Amino acid sequence: MKILLSAVFINNIVLISFLGLEGILANTNKSRNAFGAIVSAMLIILLSSIVNYLTYEKLLLPYNLEILTLILFSFNILVVSLVVSWLLKNTVSFLYKEVKEFIPAASVSSLMLGTALLNLKKSVDIYNYMYINFCNALGFALIIVLLTSIRSRLTTGKLPKNIGEATLVLLILGLISMAFMGFMGAAAYL
Amino acid sequence: MRKSFFTDIIKENPVFLYLLGIVPVLGTTIFASNALIMGGLTFFVLFFSNILVNFVKEHLKPQTELFVYIMTTALFTTIAEVFIRLWSMEIHLSLGIYMPLIIVNCLILSELYATASKEGMKKTLISSLKIGVYFIFAITIVGVFREFFGNGSVFNYIIIPDSVPKMLISQTPAGGFFVLAFFCLMANSMRREKK
């Protein structure tokens, strides 16, 4: 519970470390895109955290090959994304139709590689590692839902001429980030 | 010619226009020197992976090209990380998680997709040099702004004395978003002006 609250509100992976920002900017213009991005990110992050932890513990640490961590982790994530799309195609095909466009984009998102590397030293065993990664994905999902609902209001309102959509999204993210800084005080009570 | 280069570097900058590769632009720009090092490393990876992909472009297939791109950038990022570790452990620690994240930088991937796998050698070289310089400029200017307003110094040379209160928000993540938004606004309005 402590890890969940900390990962979603206090140390939100998107607002504090800026991981997964490109996925957020690309997928928050429609609610359908947001759903696809969240589902594919959750599935890939769960499976790839198992594979990555086992690779690190059983292969890289015993043979002193830590220099290959980056290459092997990014390779694992790509393979896992292929496995996820194959599994979804053969089991739940109605979900596959919704998320198939977002799986390649999610596999090259900085969320996967960033969380895999960041949480490697924080976690004690494989379940802990999976749980922390999943909580980070929940934080990512929260920001996507927030930003999608705000951006859907932007399409109806009147905007200043020269400002452009990129500027507005960045300003909104900055304001959300400032609002989330208010949760910092809660860290002492956890 | 010369004048158009200096306006283009803001006006046509992919970082400000399409928000490509903004994870390091926001993450490492608390101090301008870190930002400059990060820009240089991204330039290194971008340039050499472009050349390597350009050599093998005849053998790329739609199913496997993503693997080839990610493996190439991962290889050069590992080389860069080894060099940084040998050079200075302090810089390695201050870059932190953003150093390995060069692998999935959107700017590099989009450049590999658009130019290196389709065009000839000469065009790839020119395009990657241009995009690399643009990225270094973007990340450094954001770093200079954030360091100047938050810490009162530029490249660790103190300009504003300690007794003057600073805008501490520019050192927080929220300040990063605001400074980048300011530059996006500048690029957008410069583009609109000409039409």
Side-chain angles (χ1 to χ4, degrees), chain A residues 15 17-19 21-22 25 67 70-71 75 78 82 108 110 114 117 161-163 166-167 170-171 174 177-178, chain B residues 19 22-23 26-27 67 70-71 78 81-82 97-98 100-101 104 106 169 173-174 177-178 180-181 184-185 188 192:
Chain A
L15 299 176
S17 312
F18 310 110
L19 304 181
L21 208 54
E22 61 278 325
L25 295 170
I67 199 164
L70 295 182
I71 295 177
F75 183 76
L78 283 174
L82 287 186
V108 295
S110 56
L117 292 165
K161 246 184 197 170
N162 277 353
I163 198 161
T167 318
L170 283 175
L171 280 178
S177 176
M178 269 174 85
Chain B
L19 300 180
I22 60 169
V23 177
L26 290 168
F67 272 80
I70 294 284
M71 286 301 105
T78 309
E81 195 182 12
V82 171
I97 185 72
Y98 302 102
L101 284 183
V104 285
C106 299
I169 186 144
F177 285 119
F178 290 142
L180 192 59
C184 289
L185 183 63
N188 263 319
R192 293 287 166 90

Side-chain angles (χ1 to χ4, degrees), chain B residues 44-174:
Chain B
F44 166 80
V45 176
L46 173 74
F47 188 68
F48 285 101
S49 53
N50 260 310
I51 291 175
L52 195 64
V53 167
N54 201 270
F55 275 126
V56 295
K57 68 177 174 185
E58 280 87 17
H59 310 290
L60 290 177
K61 291 189 180 69
Q63 299 92 340
T64 55
E65 61 179 351
L66 193 60
F67 272 80
V68 176
Y69 298 160
I70 294 284
M71 286 301 105
T72 319
T73 50
L75 175 71
F76 285 111
T77 310
T78 309
I79 294 171
E81 195 182 12
V82 171
F83 272 114
I84 284 288
R85 235 185 247 185
L86 289 176
W87 181 29
S88 154
M89 205 63 198
E90 209 174 302
I91 294 169
H92 177 74
L93 287 177
S94 69
L95 291 180
I97 185 72
Y98 302 102
M99 166 90 230
L101 284 183
I102 298 176
I103 297 171
V104 285
N105 196 321
C106 299
L107 194 69
I108 296 176
L109 287 178
S110 72
E111 190 66 7
L112 291 177
Y113 261 109
T115 321
S117 58
K118 294 189 177 69
E119 310 283 352
M121 191 66 181
K122 198 179 162 194
K123 209 168 178 184
T124 309
L125 277 178
I126 292 172
S127 168
S128 63
L129 276 175
K130 194 176 116 187
I131 297 288
V133 171
Y134 278 16
F135 183 79
I136 291 180
F137 173 79
I139 195 168
T140 313
I141 195 94
V142 173
V144 167
F145 260 69
R146 283 184 75 181
E147 192 182 349
F148 180 72
F149 286 117
N151 205 25
S153 58
V154 174
F155 289 106
N156 297 329
Y157 292 112
I158 295 168
I159 292 174
I160 303 176
D162 280 343
S163 52
V164 183
K166 314 288 188 325
M167 288 162 68
L168 279 179
I169 186 144
S170 87
Q171 300 263 302
T172 59

Side-chain angles (χ1 to χ4, degrees), chain A residues 125-137:
Chain A
D125 59 355
I126 186 164
Y127 303 109
N128 191 243
Y129 183 65
M130 272 173 72
Y131 183 59
I132 299 178
N133 274 344
F134 184 70
C135 291
N136 281 332

Side-chain angles (χ1 to χ4, degrees), chain A residues 17-90:
Chain A
S17 312
F18 310 110
L19 304 181
L21 208 54
E22 61 278 325
I24 282 187
L25 295 170
N27 294 323
T28 49
N29 43 5
K30 282 181 204 147
S31 56
R32 192 177 155 272
N33 290 2
F35 175 75
I38 291 173
V39 171
S40 52
M42 294 242 174
L43 287 174
I44 294 177
I45 218 166
L46 269 182
L47 278 177
S48 71
S49 61
I50 302 173
V51 181
N52 280 338
Y53 198 82
L54 289 179
T55 315
Y56 189 72
E57 286 286 299
K58 304 286 177 212
L59 185 71
L60 296 176
L61 273 186
Y63 298 101
N64 218 352
L65 287 171
E66 277 118 322
I67 199 164
L68 293 177
T69 311
L70 295 182
I71 295 177
L72 277 179
F73 273 26
S74 44
F75 183 76
N76 281 344
I77 291 165
L78 283 174
V79 171
V80 162
S81 75
L82 287 186
V83 172
V84 164
S85 66
W86 180 81
L87 272 179
L88 281 182
K89 200 176 180 180
N90 290 320

